[in-house]
Amino acid sequence: EGPVCRFTHDTVTFEDGTTGFRDVLHLPGAVAIIAENSDGNLLFVSQYRHAVETQLLELPAGMLEKNEDPVLAAARELQEETGYKAGKIEKLVDFFTSPGVVKEKIYIYMASDLTFVGLLHAGNHFQQGSFTGTVDTDDADFTVFFNAVRGIL
């Protein structure tokens, strides 16, 4: 057990009565924010991710604090990672990230009517990202991808 997650090795009984083992990583849940500025571009952050040993370009996102409402977490993470506050935040979908081994639900929000208010102090977070900027949603490759995602949600 660590400060962020907990790992269990569970004995399970299957439908046919046999038993086996399952390993489960327990996480507090997370939010990710699709933040669209007034130009129609999306905000991204660049973060080093130790688990995959590389720098990634990501949507603003983060873990839920204990008993935190996901929409409040989305607003907090957006400001912590980009310095923007959203006039409107709406939930698009929530889902389990990898339910075969991870007990974590992620909530995806759409944020609009953005105003730059400055970075919110992130406290004692384990990963610090840097606001990278926007991706032009008129880019052909990105448009195909983003429209496919919108169609799924």
PDB file of all heavy atoms in Angstrom, residues 125-138:
ATOM      1  N   HIS A 125       1.498  17.261  -4.794  1.00  0.00           N
ATOM      2  CA  HIS A 125       1.201  16.261  -5.815  1.00  0.00           C
ATOM      3  C   HIS A 125       2.471  15.554  -6.252  1.00  0.00           C
ATOM      4  O   HIS A 125       3.550  16.118  -6.232  1.00  0.00           O
ATOM      5  CB  HIS A 125       0.514  16.907  -7.016  1.00  0.00           C
ATOM      6  CG  HIS A 125      -0.915  17.242  -6.718  1.00  0.00           C
ATOM      7  ND1 HIS A 125      -1.856  17.337  -7.681  1.00  0.00           N
ATOM      8  CD2 HIS A 125      -1.575  17.491  -5.566  1.00  0.00           C
ATOM      9  CE1 HIS A 125      -3.031  17.642  -7.149  1.00  0.00           C
ATOM     10  NE2 HIS A 125      -2.874  17.746  -5.864  1.00  0.00           N
ATOM     11  N   PHE A 126       2.317  14.323  -6.652  1.00  0.00           N
ATOM     12  CA  PHE A 126       3.459  13.509  -7.031  1.00  0.00           C
ATOM     13  C   PHE A 126       3.936  13.807  -8.445  1.00  0.00           C
ATOM     14  O   PHE A 126       5.078  13.604  -8.766  1.00  0.00           O
ATOM     15  CB  PHE A 126       3.107  12.022  -6.905  1.00  0.00           C
ATOM     16  CG  PHE A 126       2.872  11.625  -5.493  1.00  0.00           C
ATOM     17  CD1 PHE A 126       1.599  11.623  -4.966  1.00  0.00           C
ATOM     18  CD2 PHE A 126       3.928  11.286  -4.678  1.00  0.00           C
ATOM     19  CE1 PHE A 126       1.379  11.271  -3.645  1.00  0.00           C
ATOM     20  CE2 PHE A 126       3.727  10.936  -3.358  1.00  0.00           C
ATOM     21  CZ  PHE A 126       2.449  10.925  -2.846  1.00  0.00           C
ATOM     22  N   GLN A 127       3.055  14.263  -9.320  1.00  0.00           N
ATOM     23  CA  GLN A 127       3.429  14.535 -10.704  1.00  0.00           C
ATOM     24  C   GLN A 127       3.075  15.969 -11.041  1.00  0.00           C
ATOM     25  O   GLN A 127       1.950  16.397 -10.855  1.00  0.00           O
ATOM     26  CB  GLN A 127       2.694  13.589 -11.660  1.00  0.00           C
ATOM     27  CG  GLN A 127       3.042  12.154 -11.425  1.00  0.00           C
ATOM     28  CD  GLN A 127       2.186  11.225 -12.260  1.00  0.00           C
ATOM     29  OE1 GLN A 127       1.185  11.618 -12.827  1.00  0.00           O
ATOM     30  NE2 GLN A 127       2.581   9.983 -12.336  1.00  0.00           N
ATOM     31  N   GLN A 128       4.054  16.678 -11.523  1.00  0.00           N
ATOM     32  CA  GLN A 128       3.811  18.042 -11.952  1.00  0.00           C
ATOM     33  C   GLN A 128       3.945  18.087 -13.458  1.00  0.00           C
ATOM     34  O   GLN A 128       4.921  17.593 -14.015  1.00  0.00           O
ATOM     35  CB  GLN A 128       4.815  18.999 -11.304  1.00  0.00           C
ATOM     36  CG  GLN A 128       4.677  19.066  -9.794  1.00  0.00           C
ATOM     37  CD  GLN A 128       3.340  19.654  -9.372  1.00  0.00           C
ATOM     38  OE1 GLN A 128       2.826  20.561 -10.003  1.00  0.00           O
ATOM     39  NE2 GLN A 128       2.772  19.138  -8.314  1.00  0.00           N
ATOM     40  N   GLY A 129       2.988  18.664 -14.125  1.00  0.00           N
ATOM     41  CA  GLY A 129       3.033  18.790 -15.575  1.00  0.00           C
ATOM     42  C   GLY A 129       3.314  20.231 -15.946  1.00  0.00           C
ATOM     43  O   GLY A 129       3.377  21.107 -15.098  1.00  0.00           O
ATOM     44  N   SER A 130       3.490  20.457 -17.215  1.00  0.00           N
ATOM     45  CA  SER A 130       3.641  21.819 -17.682  1.00  0.00           C
ATOM     46  C   SER A 130       2.622  22.045 -18.786  1.00  0.00           C
ATOM     47  O   SER A 130       2.470  21.220 -19.677  1.00  0.00           O
ATOM     48  CB  SER A 130       5.065  22.065 -18.186  1.00  0.00           C
ATOM     49  OG  SER A 130       5.386  21.183 -19.235  1.00  0.00           O
ATOM     50  N   PHE A 131       1.917  23.160 -18.670  1.00  0.00           N
ATOM     51  CA  PHE A 131       0.906  23.500 -19.666  1.00  0.00           C
ATOM     52  C   PHE A 131       1.609  23.702 -20.991  1.00  0.00           C
ATOM     53  O   PHE A 131       2.529  24.495 -21.121  1.00  0.00           O
ATOM     54  CB  PHE A 131       0.152  24.756 -19.241  1.00  0.00           C
ATOM     55  CG  PHE A 131      -0.846  25.233 -20.255  1.00  0.00           C
ATOM     56  CD1 PHE A 131      -1.807  24.372 -20.745  1.00  0.00           C
ATOM     57  CD2 PHE A 131      -0.831  26.535 -20.704  1.00  0.00           C
ATOM     58  CE1 PHE A 131      -2.741  24.799 -21.678  1.00  0.00           C
ATOM     59  CE2 PHE A 131      -1.762  26.976 -21.629  1.00  0.00           C
ATOM     60  CZ  PHE A 131      -2.715  26.108 -22.115  1.00  0.00           C
ATOM     61  N   THR A 132       1.200  22.953 -21.976  1.00  0.00           N
ATOM     62  CA  THR A 132       1.853  22.976 -23.276  1.00  0.00           C
ATOM     63  C   THR A 132       1.195  23.964 -24.215  1.00  0.00           C
ATOM     64  O   THR A 132       1.850  24.605 -25.008  1.00  0.00           O
ATOM     65  CB  THR A 132       1.822  21.560 -23.909  1.00  0.00           C
ATOM     66  OG1 THR A 132       2.520  20.690 -23.036  1.00  0.00           O
ATOM     67  CG2 THR A 132       2.461  21.551 -25.264  1.00  0.00           C
ATOM     68  N   GLY A 133      -0.087  24.100 -24.128  1.00  0.00           N
ATOM     69  CA  GLY A 133      -0.795  24.988 -25.030  1.00  0.00           C
ATOM     70  C   GLY A 133      -1.974  24.285 -25.652  1.00  0.00           C
ATOM     71  O   GLY A 133      -2.582  23.420 -25.042  1.00  0.00           O
ATOM     72  N   THR A 134      -2.251  24.648 -26.878  1.00  0.00           N
ATOM     73  CA  THR A 134      -3.450  24.135 -27.532  1.00  0.00           C
ATOM     74  C   THR A 134      -3.090  23.310 -28.754  1.00  0.00           C
ATOM     75  O   THR A 134      -1.995  23.407 -29.292  1.00  0.00           O
ATOM     76  CB  THR A 134      -4.373  25.287 -27.969  1.00  0.00           C
ATOM     77  OG1 THR A 134      -3.688  26.082 -28.933  1.00  0.00           O
ATOM     78  CG2 THR A 134      -4.790  26.133 -26.793  1.00  0.00           C
ATOM     79  N   VAL A 135      -4.026  22.500 -29.163  1.00  0.00           N
ATOM     80  CA  VAL A 135      -3.921  21.773 -30.416  1.00  0.00           C
ATOM     81  C   VAL A 135      -5.017  22.304 -31.323  1.00  0.00           C
ATOM     82  O   VAL A 135      -6.173  22.415 -30.911  1.00  0.00           O
ATOM     83  CB  VAL A 135      -4.085  20.247 -30.201  1.00  0.00           C
ATOM     84  CG1 VAL A 135      -4.208  19.528 -31.532  1.00  0.00           C
ATOM     85  CG2 VAL A 135      -2.924  19.707 -29.395  1.00  0.00           C
ATOM     86  N   ASP A 136      -4.642  22.666 -32.523  1.00  0.00           N
ATOM     87  CA  ASP A 136      -5.593  23.228 -33.481  1.00  0.00           C
ATOM     88  C   ASP A 136      -6.575  22.146 -33.918  1.00  0.00           C
ATOM     89  O   ASP A 136      -6.193  21.161 -34.536  1.00  0.00           O
ATOM     90  CB  ASP A 136      -4.828  23.778 -34.686  1.00  0.00           C
ATOM     91  CG  ASP A 136      -5.731  24.470 -35.696  1.00  0.00           C
ATOM     92  OD1 ASP A 136      -6.966  24.439 -35.525  1.00  0.00           O
ATOM     93  OD2 ASP A 136      -5.193  25.041 -36.644  1.00  0.00           O
ATOM     94  N   THR A 137      -7.825  22.313 -33.578  1.00  0.00           N
ATOM     95  CA  THR A 137      -8.829  21.310 -33.920  1.00  0.00           C
ATOM     96  C   THR A 137      -9.184  21.332 -35.401  1.00  0.00           C
ATOM     97  O   THR A 137      -9.940  20.493 -35.862  1.00  0.00           O
ATOM     98  CB  THR A 137     -10.112  21.486 -33.075  1.00  0.00           C
ATOM     99  OG1 THR A 137     -10.571  22.830 -33.216  1.00  0.00           O
ATOM    100  CG2 THR A 137      -9.838  21.180 -31.617  1.00  0.00           C
ATOM    101  N   ASP A 138      -8.635  22.266 -36.161  1.00  0.00           N
ATOM    102  CA  ASP A 138      -8.828  22.260 -37.606  1.00  0.00           C
ATOM    103  C   ASP A 138      -7.828  21.359 -38.309  1.00  0.00           C
ATOM    104  O   ASP A 138      -7.961  21.098 -39.505  1.00  0.00           O
ATOM    105  CB  ASP A 138      -8.730  23.680 -38.180  1.00  0.00           C
ATOM    106  CG  ASP A 138      -9.934  24.527 -37.797  1.00  0.00           C
ATOM    107  OD1 ASP A 138     -11.022  23.937 -37.580  1.00  0.00           O
ATOM    108  OD2 ASP A 138      -9.786  25.752 -37.696  1.00  0.00           O
TER     109      ASP A 138
END
